[in-house]
Amino acid sequence: MTDGGAYGWNGDELDLDAYLERIGFKGERAPTAATLRALHRAHTTSIPFENLEILLGRPITLDLETLQRKLIRSKRGGYCYENVKVFAAALERLGYGITGLHARVTMGAKALRPATHAVLRVTTSTDDRVWLCDVGFGGGPLEPLELLPDGPEVDQDGWRFRLAEESGLWVLYQYGAEGWFDRHTFTLNPQYTLDYEVGNHYVSTSPRSPFTTRPFVQRFTGELHHVLDGTTWTTTHPDGATESRQVNAAELPKLLSDVFDIDLEPADATVLTQRP
């Protein structure tokens, strides 16, 4: 690309066969809504969310070769910027229309938070519908949500979501144990790869970022949502019921492998278990 990829997603650099094998997708390679739903589900249930590179003292880089080496060729994951860059490259390669967006993660909080969560606005070749794809949050949705100003409640294997446009601001709601809560808000202002670079730098380096202080790992299987936050392992069911337990540092490598599908190199496992 003559612009260095600033206005695109470098889909031509993606090993599409390897990516589709990594997520277990065997469907039609066409830019349709059905394929989009299947890709979204496959990605969110195959590639975990994790911030471990930061804790291992390495930078998070968003070039596609690094992302392929980590998320596709290894049993590792990434956070929103990493997951979205790979997913967008695959969609671009398949012929979808893609616009990057930034969201503010709220989780019901009223305080203003920075827009540091990457999501995608996606269109297909078959109709005029517009979709919100959110493969990098770590806890679903399983499939894209249609961007409708007063969207219907969507049940995805018991996980419930809905979208709404409120005074020009879009809100993604999720149903939990305490009822509906706003998970994040966003506008349709286009974001480009360099905007994601800026957000990624803040998230991966700022002492105010939650990802620079302790392990934060998620695995969403469709049936269960596993979260490792520091040394607390929580499992959430679609109805909002949860179970939690504390783990010690020595347990982390095995827990990451058995539950979160993340295999660390022996040296990295040692660094993680010896963190203060």
Side-chain angles (χ1 to χ4, degrees), residues 211-230:
F211 298 147
T212 61
T213 59
R214 86 286 192 201
F216 191 72
V217 186
Q218 302 183 76
R219 178 82 195 284
F220 188 54
T221 68
E223 294 81 21
L224 297 171
H225 179 208
H226 295 286
V227 177
L228 176 67
D229 187 350

Side-chain angles (χ1 to χ4, degrees), residues 4-5 29 36 39-40 42 76 80 94 102 107 114-115 120 133 150 166 188 191 227 231-232 237 254 273:
R29 300 187 185 189
L36 182 64
L39 287 168
H40 197 291
R76 293 290 305 276
C80 66
L94 292 170
H102 255 139
M107 300 301 288
L120 298 172
C133 290
D150 189 16
E166 302 172 0
L188 301 183
Q191 301 293 293
V227 177
T231 57
T232 302
H237 300 260
K254 188 174 189 306
T273 58

Side-chain angles (χ1 to χ4, degrees), residues 72-93:
I72 297 175
R73 301 186 192 115
S74 303
K75 288 187 70 175
R76 293 290 305 276
Y79 56 34
C80 66
Y81 291 111
E82 297 170 280
N83 277 283
V84 163
K85 284 290 295 288
V86 169
F87 192 67
L91 295 187
E92 183 181 72
R93 180 76 171 271

Side-chain angles (χ1 to χ4, degrees), residues 89-219:
L91 295 187
E92 183 181 72
R93 180 76 171 271
L94 292 170
Y96 289 92
I98 311 154
T99 302
L101 304 175
H102 255 139
R104 300 179 190 275
V105 177
T106 53
M107 300 301 288
K110 301 305 178 186
L112 184 65
R113 293 177 174 177
T116 54
H117 177 53
V119 295
L120 298 172
R121 176 191 184 275
V122 178
T123 57
T124 73
S125 65
T126 54
D127 55 43
D128 295 330
R129 288 181 294 175
V130 180
W131 302 92
L132 176 73
C133 290
D134 188 3
V135 298
F137 193 78
L142 280 166
E143 298 180 357
L145 301 172
E146 188 174 359
L147 271 171
L148 297 172
D150 189 16
E153 177 185 327
V154 177
D155 187 311
Q156 299 178 350
D157 296 2
W159 306 94
R160 297 161 61 187
F161 304 91
R162 63 182 175 88
L163 281 169
E165 185 182 15
E166 302 172 0
S167 302
L169 190 68
W170 289 83
V171 185
L172 174 60
Y173 288 95
Q174 183 170 350
Y175 194 86
E178 305 299 322
W180 289 101
F181 64 95
D182 51 295
R183 197 173 85 172
H184 51 253
T185 65
F186 60 97
T187 70
L188 301 183
N189 182 42
Q191 301 293 293
Y192 303 101
T193 53
L194 70 167
D195 298 313
Y196 283 180
E197 293 281 354
V198 173
N200 176 61
H201 178 72
Y202 172 84
V203 168
S204 63
T205 65
S206 172
R208 298 182 62 184
S209 167
F211 298 147
T212 61
T213 59
R214 86 286 192 201
F216 191 72
V217 186
Q218 302 183 76
R219 178 82 195 284

Side-chain angles (χ1 to χ4, degrees), residues 17-47:
D17 290 339
Y19 168 71
L20 296 179
E21 182 179 357
R22 170 75 166 95
I23 66 173
F25 176 84
K26 302 183 186 304
E28 183 184 17
R29 300 187 185 189
T32 65
T35 295
L36 182 64
R37 286 192 290 269
L39 287 168
H40 197 291
R41 178 180 284 264
H43 186 112
T44 57
T45 57
S46 298
I47 301 181

Side-chain angles (χ1 to χ4, degrees), residues 2-20:
T2 57
D3 59 19
Y7 293 97
W9 303 95
N10 298 106
D12 56 337
E13 299 178 9
L14 179 72
D15 185 341
L16 185 61
D17 290 339
Y19 168 71
L20 296 179

